[in-house]
Amino acid sequence: MHAASTATTRADASSSTLDPKFLAPGDAFFNSAASAALSARQRKQRARSTERRRKAQFKKLLWFKQPFPDNYTDEKTFLDHLQRNPRLQPYEFWSLMTDSTVIVQHVASVVIFCCTFVAIYTERVSPVSVVSWASLGTFLAWVWWDYWMAQEEAKSAKKVAHETQKNEGEPNSHAAGFEGAEEMEGASVGKEQPTPGHSPYPPNVDPTLSWSPRNQQRLATARSAVLIFVALLGLSPILKSLTRSTTSDSIWAMSTWLLFMNVAFFDYGSGSNAYLPASISTNSALMASTVLASRLPSTTHVFCLTLFSIEVFGLFPLFRRQLRAKSRNGHLALTVALVTTASGAVFATLTGGGRGAWIAGIILGSTSTFLCMGVCSWWLIGLQKYKNEIHGPWDPARPIIRMRWD
């Protein structure tokens, strides 16, 4: 009996050690030791991998294998190349004041046109005198502009001649290689041949004529002026009856919105090389002048106002841009003249007064305009502190497109 009980106890002990559901008293020590050894081994592996990563230099490249995971972030070097507002150009007060004169000039031109229409509509001034003085000013401005263009052409011709003399004085292999081609071209043609789709001559210039290119452009300008004059004479009766069935309230509202569009869409940033002003701005202004001219009493009034609008909104911006590029003092003087004229005309139109209202308008209008320019400039300078543009090596590269190939 005792032997049987001993065998049964041994069988139960052996079954308890073999059965995973039952744990022996020694299993607790064995499991804790194994887990400690496993954690020590993991710590060693992590330390080795960390040491390898420290030795390796992390690069933000995916086309070669690195001992780092794909979502790894190097906290030490991540913000090293961070740039805040790298292209920021701090504004200066007087430079902003000078740049704002472009807007002031155009707004003053629109105000002068509106006051002129009111004066013609109320028969306070003669439309013939208005268009005569405006045409004289346009002619003088064109003479001035033509003088500037002649100076630029002379400078460019001197530059080309200087470069030619320099190339002849320093012959090289390229010049020697081109001599044969130039001799063949001169012998076969005798003059410059433009490539298809490109002409070396300015528009309205015929290289076969004996006149100089500048004289040909002057003749083309005179032809365009005569064509506009004759076309307006023929279209004046049609323009007068264009909006006969439209009420005057609709005409005033439509012209107001069109002039607002002219001010809003005008190209204030274009340089002196711009050939014509922005099409939306110019078209809206000419449309406004057309609907306003339809409310005048005679075809003479319609012709004068339409021609005056073409000179103010089509030709005058070209002269202003060229004057700004050539003479800063002249640009500022023109700004002062336009502001004083517009201010006096507004007060004289609103009050119906004479010289006293004109002088009061000049003083108040000029002062308020200068204050508005200063306040807007300081406001824009104050807004610059809120600019927060962040750049870094993770940003996509911006391609540099060359618009002109030399």
Side-chain angles (χ1 to χ4, degrees):
M1 294 293 292
H2 179 73
S5 62
T6 304
T8 305
T9 305
R10 290 178 179 177
D12 294 339
S14 61
S15 63
S16 63
T17 55
L18 295 177
D19 193 355
K21 296 180 180 181
F22 300 96
L23 294 177
D27 291 340
F29 175 78
F30 175 79
N31 290 334
S32 60
S35 60
L38 181 61
S39 61
R41 189 183 307 168
Q42 290 177 353
R43 285 195 298 270
K44 289 182 180 180
Q45 291 178 354
R46 290 176 183 175
R48 291 175 183 175
S49 61
T50 304
E51 187 177 358
R52 286 197 302 267
R53 291 176 184 176
R54 289 178 180 175
K55 292 181 180 179
Q57 186 177 2
F58 176 72
K59 297 181 180 180
K60 297 179 182 179
L61 298 175
L62 296 176
W63 50 269
F64 73 96
K65 188 176 181 180
Q66 301 184 75
F68 304 98
D70 293 338
N71 59 350
Y72 176 75
T73 301
D74 192 2
E75 298 180 357
K76 294 183 178 180
T77 62
F78 180 70
L79 299 178
D80 287 350
H81 302 284
L82 178 66
Q83 296 179 357
R84 186 171 179 264
N85 300 329
R87 301 179 181 88
L88 180 63
Q89 296 180 358
Y91 294 134
E92 295 181 358
F93 178 75
W94 291 111
S95 63
L96 285 178
M97 290 283 288
T98 305
D99 294 338
S100 62
T101 53
V102 181
I103 305 175
V104 172
Q105 282 185 357
H106 187 68
V107 174
S109 301
V110 174
V111 171
I112 291 173
F113 173 78
C114 296
C115 294
T116 303
F117 166 75
V118 174
I120 294 175
Y121 184 76
T122 56
E123 298 182 354
R124 297 182 60 181
V125 296
S126 173
V128 178
S129 62
V130 170
V131 77
S132 298
W133 285 106
S135 300
L136 178 61
T138 303
F139 176 75
L140 295 177
W142 175 79
V143 170
W144 205 349
W145 178 83
D146 184 76
Y147 174 72
W148 287 333
M149 292 296 101
Q151 282 186 336
E152 288 185 358
E153 290 182 359
K155 289 181 180 179
S156 61
K158 289 182 180 179
K159 184 177 180 180
V160 171
H162 179 70
E163 291 180 355
T164 304
Q165 293 178 359
K166 185 177 180 181
N167 294 332
E168 290 178 355
E170 299 178 358
N172 49 22
S173 60
H174 296 284
F178 284 121
E179 285 181 358
E182 291 178 355
E183 291 178 359
M184 294 177 60
E185 184 179 359
S188 60
V189 181
K191 58 185 177 181
E192 185 178 2
Q193 293 291 331
T195 57
H198 173 73
S199 176
Y201 304 100
N204 302 323
V205 172
D206 189 359
T208 61
L209 297 179
S210 59
W211 289 8
S212 63
R214 172 51 51 190
N215 290 331
Q216 294 185 34
Q217 290 185 356
R218 291 167 182 167
L219 181 60
T221 303
R223 289 176 181 175
S224 301
V226 173
L227 179 62
I228 292 174
F229 189 85
V230 174
L232 286 180
L233 282 177
L235 293 175
S236 294
I238 301 175
L239 297 178
K240 183 180 181 301
S241 59
L242 183 64
T243 59
R244 182 176 298 174
S245 59
T246 308
T247 61
S248 297
D249 296 339
S250 301
I251 294 297
W252 310 143
M254 185 186 304
S255 60
T256 301
W257 282 109
L258 289 173
L259 291 176
F260 274 127
M261 288 178 59
N262 171 261
V263 174
F265 291 98
F266 186 78
D267 191 5
Y268 298 99
S270 59
S272 60
N273 296 327
Y275 185 67
L276 284 176
S279 58
I280 297 178
S281 176
T282 307
N283 293 338
S284 60
L286 294 180
M287 189 180 299
S289 65
T290 301
V291 297
L292 288 175
S294 63
R295 283 296 180 263
L296 296 178
S298 66
T299 56
T300 303
H301 291 70
V302 174
F303 168 78
C304 293
L305 185 65
T306 307
L307 183 59
F308 180 68
S309 66
I310 292 175
E311 294 171 349
V312 171
F313 298 113
L315 302 178
F316 192 43
L318 300 178
F319 174 75
R320 296 202 309 262
R321 290 168 181 168
Q322 196 69 25
L323 180 63
R324 184 189 179 191
K326 293 295 182 180
S327 175
R328 180 180 179 182
N329 295 330
H331 174 74
L332 296 177
L334 180 62
T335 304
V336 173
L338 289 175
V339 169
T340 53
T341 304
S343 303
V346 167
F347 271 73
T349 302
L350 294 178
T351 60
R355 184 176 299 178
W358 188 278
I359 296 174
I362 290 176
I363 296 174
L364 295 178
S366 302
T367 305
S368 60
T369 302
F370 185 79
L371 289 177
C372 288
M373 293 169 61
V375 169
C376 292
S377 299
W378 279 118
W379 178 60
L380 186 58
I381 293 174
L383 289 178
Q384 205 170 19
K385 65 182 180 181
Y386 298 105
K387 185 177 179 62
N388 188 16
E389 186 178 0
I390 297 176
H391 288 265
W394 53 84
D395 294 330
R398 297 183 179 181
I400 300 176
I401 302 175
R402 297 180 61 185
M403 302 300 295
R404 180 180 177 183
W405 296 91
D406 298 329

